[in-house]
Amino acid sequence: MQNSILKISLILFFVVSVIFSTIYTPQAILPTLKQTFNISIIETNLLISGMLFILMITTPFYASISNRFEKKNIMVFSTFFLFISVLFSAMTTNFYLLLICRIIQGIFIPGITAIMLSYVQEIYPKSNVGLGMGIYMAATSFGAVIGRLLAGWITFIYSWRIAFAFFAFLLIIAFFSIIFGLPSPKKIKTKKLVKKGNLLNYLCNKQILSVLLIPAIVFFSFMAISTFATYHLAEAPFNFNAKELGNIFLVLFSGVLISPLAGKYSDIIGRVKILFFGIGILIIGISLTLSSSYILIIIGITFVTIGMFTVQSVSPTYLGELVPNNKGTVTVLYQTFFYLGGFLGTLIPAITWKYYGYNGVAIFCIILILLGITPLTFQLIITKKKKENVM
């Protein structure tokens, strides 16, 4: 049994890492792609924001798809077409064809990421479900790192086409790993789908909405800083090359370490305190990136990463506690708001960058975070006063 769990865990970690690396592959080489295709920053950023927008739209649909088809088959199907689209990305000579490939990837990625969340809970014994979910979360962080890091290294040594081809190679390995390495889940009775009206009810709930805004704004800021920091460091006086820009994303390994720690301490001192702690670290990190020292900028990006993963590790649990009888629905809402933040975080700051440069992007993010936490702060104050009145 232990050997079987170990095998499944290793395959799970590899597959999830590869899938998440696909999302972020272009981020470290955006300046290279901008120069190659002779396009604007706004157009270049569509390679990230366009995919995140599609992820935001398609993720909820996989909830109903998973109730109709076997989860393993969905993942196999999705991984194969993800492989094809990444392979075509390496072959294209036209930016808009590359963008279409990225959009197609955004359609099929939730076929693994969204399905895997429930799949893990079905294939692991009840006593090891926590282990499976921990491996999944660690793999998402690891994949985000290697996607940026390896893309930067390979582009520096060879070319961006070889970088995409390399990730296509990893995807075909993941494809066969799912087929031959992962078991089919036991058939279980599926619950009736939640009515759409419930989703609207949650969105009209001020307390839930105030919490949903936090992961969206935090991921917005993370994507804005991590994206435009590459442009900032690629310019004078820093003049970082593709390899050096890729190396910066080594700091994302801090997310692998901070996620379980944030969850652990939120059990001890409370979700809200850890949530605001993460937001504070995020603001400090963004402020440090305003420095003229590249060392302080990298430290700032590290703080931004720690703050982001701290908030994202606590937010879903906090939402689940607010809606204990319908965690599946709020999870869908959480993922939708999360991807919405990422999509806007690569799109809107591009306009700010055009007129105010990197400093404008960083200051804009800080102001947005402060505005974003205001509704939650008010809700917490109101809740506290109600408890005091009852006492």
Side-chain angles (χ1 to χ4, degrees):
M1 175 66 74
Q2 291 299 323
N3 290 335
S4 176
I5 292 174
L6 177 61
K7 174 188 172 184
I8 292 172
S9 298
L10 290 173
I11 294 173
L12 170 67
F13 186 86
F14 172 73
V15 170
V16 175
S17 295
V18 172
I19 301 305
F20 270 85
S21 69
T22 303
I23 298 175
Y24 301 105
T25 299
Q27 192 169 27
I29 58 174
L30 288 176
T32 301
L33 295 172
K34 176 181 180 297
Q35 185 177 13
T36 300
F37 294 106
N38 192 27
I39 53 179
S40 68
I41 286 178
I42 294 177
E43 290 175 304
T44 309
N45 284 355
L46 286 173
L47 294 172
I48 300 292
S49 62
M51 170 179 279
L52 291 172
F53 177 73
I54 298 301
L55 285 171
M56 176 189 69
I57 295 174
T58 56
T59 295
F61 288 100
Y62 278 93
S64 59
I65 293 174
S66 66
N67 286 328
R68 299 181 182 180
F69 304 96
E70 187 179 286
K71 291 180 175 64
K72 180 177 176 179
N73 291 340
I74 297 171
M75 292 190 292
V76 168
F77 179 86
S78 299
T79 305
F80 177 76
F81 282 97
L82 183 58
F83 157 71
I84 294 296
S85 61
V86 174
L87 184 62
F88 271 102
S89 297
M91 297 163 52
T92 184
T93 57
N94 181 283
F95 169 74
Y96 293 102
L97 289 177
L98 176 60
L99 181 59
I100 290 172
C101 288
R102 291 286 293 173
I103 290 173
I104 293 173
Q105 291 160 35
I107 294 173
F108 289 107
I109 283 175
I112 305 99
T113 58
I115 299 298
M116 189 71 81
L117 281 170
S118 56
Y119 174 78
V120 166
Q121 298 177 58
E122 294 179 17
I123 62 172
Y124 276 82
K126 288 185 178 179
S127 59
N128 295 110
V129 170
L131 170 66
M133 294 303 294
I135 290 170
Y136 176 90
M137 293 305 297
T140 63
S141 302
F142 185 76
V145 177
I146 63 170
R148 297 168 168 102
L149 185 66
L150 294 182
W153 285 355
I154 296 171
T155 299
F156 177 76
I157 298 172
Y158 299 104
S159 71
W160 65 269
R161 297 183 191 282
I162 299 297
F164 277 108
F166 175 76
F167 284 101
F169 172 70
L170 291 180
L171 281 166
I172 199 64
I173 296 177
F175 170 73
F176 287 111
S177 296
I178 295 173
I179 293 176
F180 299 110
L182 293 180
S184 296
K186 296 178 182 179
K187 292 183 178 180
I188 57 175
K189 294 181 180 180
T190 57
K191 296 179 180 180
K192 292 182 179 180
L193 292 175
V194 179
K195 294 180 180 180
K196 292 182 179 180
N198 285 338
L199 290 174
L200 294 176
N201 289 337
Y202 291 142
L203 289 175
C204 292
N205 184 303
K206 293 180 181 179
Q207 186 177 18
I208 294 173
L209 185 59
S210 67
V211 178
L212 286 170
L213 287 174
I214 301 299
I217 291 170
V218 167
F219 194 45
F220 175 102
S221 301
F222 173 78
M223 290 302 297
I225 298 302
S226 60
T227 298
F228 288 92
T230 59
Y231 289 119
H232 184 46
L233 291 171
E235 295 182 339
F238 308 107
N239 298 315
F240 277 30
N241 57 41
K243 180 182 178 182
E244 291 169 329
L245 291 174
N247 287 340
I248 292 172
F249 292 103
L250 281 169
V251 303
L252 296 183
F253 276 121
S254 60
V256 180
L257 301 174
I258 199 65
S259 294
L261 289 175
K264 177 183 177 181
Y265 283 101
S266 71
D267 289 331
I268 299 172
I269 65 176
R271 316 291 181 204
V272 174
K273 290 181 180 178
I274 294 296
L275 200 67
F276 278 93
F277 171 79
I279 292 170
I281 293 296
L282 178 64
I283 292 174
I284 292 172
I286 296 173
S287 301
L288 287 174
T289 63
L290 291 168
S291 171
S292 58
S293 166
Y294 75 88
I295 295 176
L296 286 178
I297 292 175
I298 294 173
I299 292 173
I301 296 173
T302 305
F303 274 52
V304 168
T305 302
I306 292 172
M308 196 279 290
F309 278 102
T310 297
V311 172
Q312 303 304 347
S313 297
V314 176
S315 298
T317 309
Y318 185 34
L319 282 165
E321 290 173 348
L322 293 177
V323 191
N325 298 323
N326 211 341
K327 294 181 180 180
T329 302
V330 291
T331 298
V332 169
L333 284 173
Y334 163 77
Q335 291 182 333
T336 302
F337 272 72
F338 178 78
Y339 287 127
L340 173 63
F343 162 64
L344 296 176
T346 52
L347 188 65
I348 294 176
I351 301 171
T352 308
W353 166 276
K354 182 178 179 180
Y355 294 102
Y356 303 104
Y358 179 77
N359 287 356
V361 172
I363 293 171
F364 177 79
C365 287
I366 292 173
I367 294 172
L368 186 64
I369 293 169
L370 294 174
L371 290 174
I373 64 176
T374 301
L376 178 60
T377 304
F378 277 120
Q379 287 300 314
L380 292 171
I381 292 172
I382 292 171
T383 303
K384 185 179 179 180
K385 285 184 177 180
K386 286 182 178 179
K387 287 182 179 179
E388 289 176 350
N389 291 333
V390 171
M391 294 176 65

